Amino acid sequence: MDSAVSLTMKSASVSSSSFLAGSPFLISKNKNPNFNSKKPFFNPRRAARFFSKPLISLQSPGPTSQNPLPSSFSYSAVTETTDLLPCKLHQLISEFQSLPEQLDRLNRLLHYSTLLPHLPDSSRVDSNRVMGCTARVWLEATLDQDNKMRFRADSDSEITRGFCYCLASVFDGAAPEEVLRVKTEDLAALNVSLVGRERSRVNTWHNVFVSMQKRTKALVAERQGQKPFEPFPSLIVTKDGLQAKGSYAEAQARYLFPDESKVEELVNVLKEKKIGIVAHFYMDPEVQGVLTAAQKYWPHIYISDSLVMADTAVKMAKAGCQFITVLGVDFMSENVRAILDQAGFQDVGVYRMSGERIGCSLADAAATPAYMNYLEAASTNPPSLHVIYINTSLETKAYAHELVPTITCTSSNVVQTILQIPDLNIWYGPDSYMGANITELFQQIAMMSDEEIAEIHPKHNKDSIKSLLPRLHYYQDGTCIVHHLFGHEVVEKINEMYCDAFLTAHLEVPGEMFSLAMEAKKRGMGVVGSTKNILDFIKERVQEVLDRDVDDHLQFVLGTESGMVTSIVAAVCNLLGSAKSSGNSKINVEIVFPVSSDSMTKSSISSSSNLKSVTLGDVALPVIPGVASGEGCSTNGGCASCPYMKMNSLSSLLKVCHQLPHGKNNLKAYEAERFKSQTLQGKSIADVGCEPILHMRHFQAKKELPEKLVNQVIHPHSGNCKSMSLS
């Protein structure tokens, strides 16, 4: 950032757990005893006093240079510019900070809204819309012949028009490098304390500014004659149907509306043989399309993240299902088998979708001597708690629990799990990216006030969080191949083309993608979390637009496995369908797949014998393309789909279902493994491996760790672990 900007900026405190809540502008209630919410915001007498000396004129001084932008111009290049933009920004910040009362700040915005020229209807078009604002906002940007940026903006909200006037006043007439040098955090001090929800109009400051920078980059690139980035493939969902942009999106869309004969065939065999299906979100769209349609006719089909799969299988068994088919990787079917056994349903059969091993790069990383060595170090540093990601094998959980007291976690509960017992050594694994991101989250928490930290967890304050940081360890050699490949190329392209879109990212993504999504989250434009968190975020944003009943285009970058698209499209279609008869607004919801430009495209395969392989690091993996020759993974970033998950095909599902129950002998290789072996301490792997899962279930239900686990942590050598029963 330009030193002139940084020197003139005043520090601004960020209120109330901004990184978790999604906005750096969480607003407290007005504490002015004289404030009367029934009085009109605009008071002419007070306005006359405040507006007697306007801050800035919308028209910036004329250009100082007549030279065109040189072909060697670079955004990051340090060029000779005046201090006009930093001064104007500092003056704007100083003005709002000098108004102590909320009413005064709102009145100032309302005054500035009267000074902003209205855009003609020809400019109030979708291509000029700014995403993420509570009101509708339009922004026009041009690069004039004197190489100065020109901005015009408008909104259907008077308060938002006031925001737009201020931003246009600061940035209109600035050189491109000046516009691009300002950071979003430089606008943090422009908090005008509007009382409202997490996604309030205050986010307009940031979202309009991000759009200004995006359009500035595009205009500079165009003037330089640079070839623009090729857009990522995407699916656009409307009330009337789907539009696929790009071959990858076409492949994804092809099975969202499945063959009804396949749906009927599956439903009939499920009903006849009392078979339940639990499937992960990352299934191939062909499979998910059929399952989603079949759910209307057979209730025992459930698509979810890995945590819910086993619990749902127990419910299906209680409802009378005699078999459970698991569409996922092997550790998921192992967990289903073990949890059913714990619940007393040993006679319910559990079947995988392949006669071959369905692996997982992340689970495999924990099933290594290196991971056990990591835990050996943990066992010599009591009191220690091992927090292991749910996406690991039952065998790993069992061996780990005998070394160090262990609890499983998900991406949505890991922060709260770590905070449960103060003064512990925490050992997280095996996902390295998730571990690094968790550490970054706690570093952000450490910068909050004690009051803000207490809102996250009442037992903690700044001192306790700071003391936790050196005791927080994470395994540094484990990754999910899908999230690992959201690398620099993808992040760079998102920064250039999609910085103003809603960004979603799984907590397992690399740090660069994580930071990008976290920045978007702070201004209400992003989510970082589990697959369910991502789905819920998209549904909430769509519902907000439906509630406003205005034309809008929402664009979401899907920062996780592309199999999520089926559940997302189904949820969006349900929301748009329910509103179809109640409003006339035109709403487009675009799901963007961040697939690398060189993602591999192979011919379709029908059997595992035809698998080709690709080397990622030291690991050779089969390349299993998406449906209809869709792309697979790229070593340069952007893995659209998990090759292991795609081993769960519709043909395999139908094969297993048709052969049950009489053809069970032909399905021996498909049966989920039931662990009969024992741990080093002579205990059942299934029993000991289930215990960390049951600890987590207790924590989720009671909001506290089970007493047994606490005792194991505090007194690690007081006795051996005993198996828990499933309630």
Side-chain angles (χ1 to χ4, degrees):
M1 185 178 69
D2 180 25
S3 59
V5 176
S6 61
L7 288 174
T8 56
M9 289 294 298
K10 293 185 179 180
S11 61
S13 62
V14 177
S15 61
S16 188
S17 56
S18 61
F19 81 92
L20 290 174
S23 171
F25 302 116
L26 294 177
I27 311 304
S28 59
K29 294 181 179 180
N30 191 289
K31 299 179 181 179
N32 178 10
N34 299 318
F35 177 78
N36 186 346
S37 61
K38 295 182 180 180
K39 290 182 180 180
F41 277 145
F42 191 76
N43 183 311
R45 187 172 299 173
R46 179 174 286 163
R49 182 173 77 248
F50 284 128
F51 303 147
S52 59
K53 296 181 179 180
L55 168 67
I56 38 184
S57 168
L58 183 61
Q59 296 301 320
S60 299
T64 59
S65 172
Q66 301 299 319
N67 297 323
L69 198 65
S71 59
S72 60
F73 175 78
S74 170
Y75 308 149
S76 59
V78 178
T79 60
E80 278 192 31
T81 62
T82 68
D83 290 337
L84 183 60
L85 189 150
C87 289
K88 289 197 293 185
L89 183 57
H90 172 60
Q91 194 174 359
L92 179 64
I93 291 170
S94 298
E95 179 193 19
F96 278 99
Q97 289 183 337
S98 71
L99 302 177
E101 296 185 18
Q102 174 181 301
L103 180 60
D104 297 334
R105 294 189 288 272
L106 290 174
N107 281 338
R108 182 60 60 91
L109 283 174
L110 290 172
H111 169 70
Y112 281 142
S113 74
T114 66
L115 304 182
L116 184 71
H118 287 279
L119 287 177
D121 290 342
S122 60
S123 297
R124 294 163 69 99
V125 293
D126 288 346
S127 59
N128 287 335
R129 283 288 300 276
V130 176
M131 282 184 283
C133 300
T134 304
R136 288 189 295 174
V137 182
W138 296 268
L139 174 68
E140 271 194 337
T142 57
L143 182 60
D144 69 18
Q145 62 181 1
D146 300 308
N147 307 319
K148 301 296 183 182
M149 291 303 304
R150 295 297 174 182
F151 296 106
R152 296 197 304 162
D154 201 357
S155 175
D156 57 5
S157 158
E158 293 305 306
I159 293 175
T160 303
R161 278 175 52 81
F163 285 137
C164 291
Y165 174 87
C166 294
L167 288 170
S169 300
V170 170
F171 292 102
D172 184 68
E177 64 269 26
E178 290 184 293
V179 176
L180 296 173
R181 194 175 292 130
V182 179
K183 306 297 183 184
T184 54
E185 54 264 29
D186 296 339
L187 303 181
L190 292 175
N191 178 3
V192 296
S193 297
L194 289 177
V195 177
R197 298 173 300 171
E198 168 187 315
R199 283 173 40 77
S200 72
R201 283 190 176 88
V202 179
N203 286 320
T204 301
W205 289 116
H206 278 177
N207 295 333
V208 174
F209 167 66
V210 168
S211 290
M212 285 178 165
Q213 289 196 319
K214 175 185 175 180
R215 297 176 198 198
T216 298
K217 292 176 185 178
L219 288 167
V220 170
E222 181 182 356
R223 180 157 295 186
Q224 291 177 338
Q226 295 177 2
K227 185 179 179 180
F229 276 108
E230 193 70 25
F232 287 130
S234 65
L235 275 177
I236 300 176
V237 188
T238 69
K239 292 179 180 179
D240 302 318
L242 290 177
Q243 176 190 353
K245 299 170 68 174
S247 60
Y248 183 84
E250 290 170 2
Q252 298 292 312
R254 192 163 297 156
Y255 294 104
L256 291 175
F257 302 100
D259 183 343
E260 286 297 328
S261 64
K262 292 293 185 183
V263 176
E264 184 179 2
E265 178 185 358
L266 179 62
V267 169
N268 288 340
V269 71
L270 295 178
K271 287 182 176 180
E272 176 190 351
K273 301 182 178 182
K274 298 182 179 179
I275 300 172
I277 298 176
V278 290
H280 195 271
F281 279 129
Y282 291 174
M283 287 300 98
D284 192 286
E286 179 184 14
V287 179
Q288 286 208 53
V290 171
L291 294 183
T292 301
Q295 283 176 318
K296 302 173 185 176
Y297 311 105
W298 181 240
H300 305 305
I301 299 173
Y302 202 78
I303 305 170
S304 69
D305 57 21
S306 57
L307 171 65
V308 183
M309 291 171 70
D311 294 343
T312 305
V314 172
K315 293 177 183 177
M316 291 177 180
K318 289 180 178 178
C321 288
Q322 297 178 5
F323 305 97
I324 303 295
T325 52
V326 180
L327 279 70
V329 296
D330 283 348
F331 76 78
M332 297 175 184
S333 57
E334 291 171 6
N335 287 348
V336 169
R337 174 72 276 164
I339 294 296
L340 282 171
D341 289 348
Q342 289 277 334
F345 293 102
Q346 293 89 347
D347 294 335
V348 173
V350 178
Y351 289 87
R352 309 177 307 119
M353 293 300 104
S354 176
E356 300 178 9
R357 178 178 178 271
I358 308 177
C360 168
S361 60
L362 187 59
D364 291 347
T368 60
Y371 195 74
M372 291 300 115
N373 291 339
Y374 167 71
L375 294 182
E376 286 281 2
S379 68
T380 62
N381 288 275
S384 287
L385 175 65
H386 175 217
V387 180
I388 189 170
Y389 197 30
I390 187 71
N391 292 358
T392 47
S393 72
L394 208 63
E395 197 169 22
T396 295
K397 294 181 180 76
Y399 290 140
H401 194 35
E402 286 200 338
L403 278 173
V404 189
T406 298
I407 184 172
T408 57
C409 73
T410 68
S411 49
S412 57
N413 67 21
V414 61
V415 171
Q416 289 296 326
T417 301
I418 290 172
L419 291 174
Q420 284 310 296
I421 308 178
D423 304 322
L424 287 185
N425 292 304
I426 301 294
W427 304 78
Y428 169 80
D431 193 298
S432 304
Y433 290 133
M434 191 166 163
N437 295 340
I438 291 166
T439 301
E440 172 65 22
L441 287 179
F442 281 113
Q443 288 171 347
Q444 293 188 32
I445 295 176
M447 293 187 290
M448 297 178 180
S449 68
D450 286 344
E451 293 75 15
E452 291 163 347
I453 293 172
E455 292 181 15
I456 300 171
H457 197 286
K459 292 182 180 179
H460 286 274
N461 53 36
K462 287 176 71 73
D463 291 338
S464 67
I465 297 298
K466 288 179 180 178
S467 69
L468 166 65
L469 287 171
R471 293 183 283 104
L472 177 58
H473 311 272
Y474 65 91
Y475 187 61
Q476 300 194 19
D477 196 23
T479 58
C480 164
I481 60 171
V482 175
H483 298 114
H484 169 63
L485 292 170
F486 282 98
H488 177 73
E489 178 191 323
V490 167
V491 169
E492 183 182 36
K493 192 167 178 179
I494 291 172
N495 255 327
E496 290 291 324
M497 296 188 65
Y498 300 96
C499 58
D500 57 345
F502 292 99
L503 303 184
T504 72
H506 199 279
L507 197 55
E508 296 175 33
V509 298
E512 200 172 3
M513 182 71 177
F514 170 81
S515 298
L516 199 65
M518 284 298 296
E519 190 280 328
K521 181 178 173 69
K522 290 178 181 178
R523 53 188 174 89
M525 291 293 292
V527 62
V528 178
S530 65
T531 48
K532 184 178 184 303
N533 295 147
I534 291 172
L535 180 60
D536 288 346
F537 176 82
I538 293 174
K539 289 162 60 177
E540 289 165 6
R541 300 293 81 79
V542 173
Q543 187 60 57
E544 286 175 358
V545 174
L546 290 172
D547 291 343
R548 296 202 302 269
D549 194 22
V550 296
D551 293 352
D552 211 339
H553 179 92
L554 304 181
Q555 190 178 58
F556 298 91
V557 176
L558 186 61
T560 188
E561 217 272 357
S562 62
M564 275 289 294
V565 72
T566 309
S567 297
I568 292 170
V569 170
V572 171
C573 285
N574 286 338
L575 289 172
L576 297 181
S578 64
K580 195 169 185 178
S581 59
S582 60
N584 298 317
S585 57
K586 179 183 177 183
I587 300 172
N588 299 330
V589 180
E590 183 175 9
I591 310 300
V592 178
F593 303 96
V595 182
S596 173
S597 58
D598 68 340
S599 290
M600 302 170 196
T601 302
K602 303 291 182 183
S603 58
S604 295
I605 57 173
S606 57
S607 69
S608 58
S609 61
N610 294 327
L611 294 183
K612 299 181 183 295
S613 64
V614 61
T615 300
L616 301 177
D618 298 327
V619 183
L621 298 168
V623 175
I624 303 182
V627 294
S629 303
E631 290 85 341
C633 297
S634 159
T635 55
N636 285 331
C639 185
S641 56
C642 173
Y644 296 117
M645 286 290 188
K646 299 309 178 276
M647 294 175 72
N648 294 267
S649 66
L650 180 61
S651 59
S652 292
L653 174 61
L654 291 171
K655 172 186 174 180
V656 169
C657 291
H658 281 304
Q659 292 199 29
L660 290 173
H662 304 297
K664 287 194 292 185
N665 289 337
N666 298 327
L667 297 174
K668 285 293 184 183
Y670 288 74
E671 282 191 73
E673 184 175 2
R674 178 181 273 124
F675 288 102
K676 298 179 181 178
S677 55
Q678 295 182 329
T679 67
L680 296 177
Q681 295 183 10
K683 298 179 180 180
S684 162
I685 284 179
D687 288 345
V688 180
C690 278
E691 189 165 340
I693 301 173
L694 299 176
H695 285 328
M696 181 184 67
R697 292 182 61 177
H698 181 282
F699 170 58
Q700 290 183 302
K702 305 292 185 181
K703 307 305 178 187
E704 62 181 13
L705 298 183
E707 183 178 351
K708 178 178 181 179
L709 177 62
V710 174
N711 288 333
Q712 290 171 352
V713 171
I714 297 174
H715 309 291
H717 304 297
S718 59
N720 294 332
C721 298
K722 297 179 181 179
S723 61
M724 300 175 68
S725 62
L726 184 68
S727 57

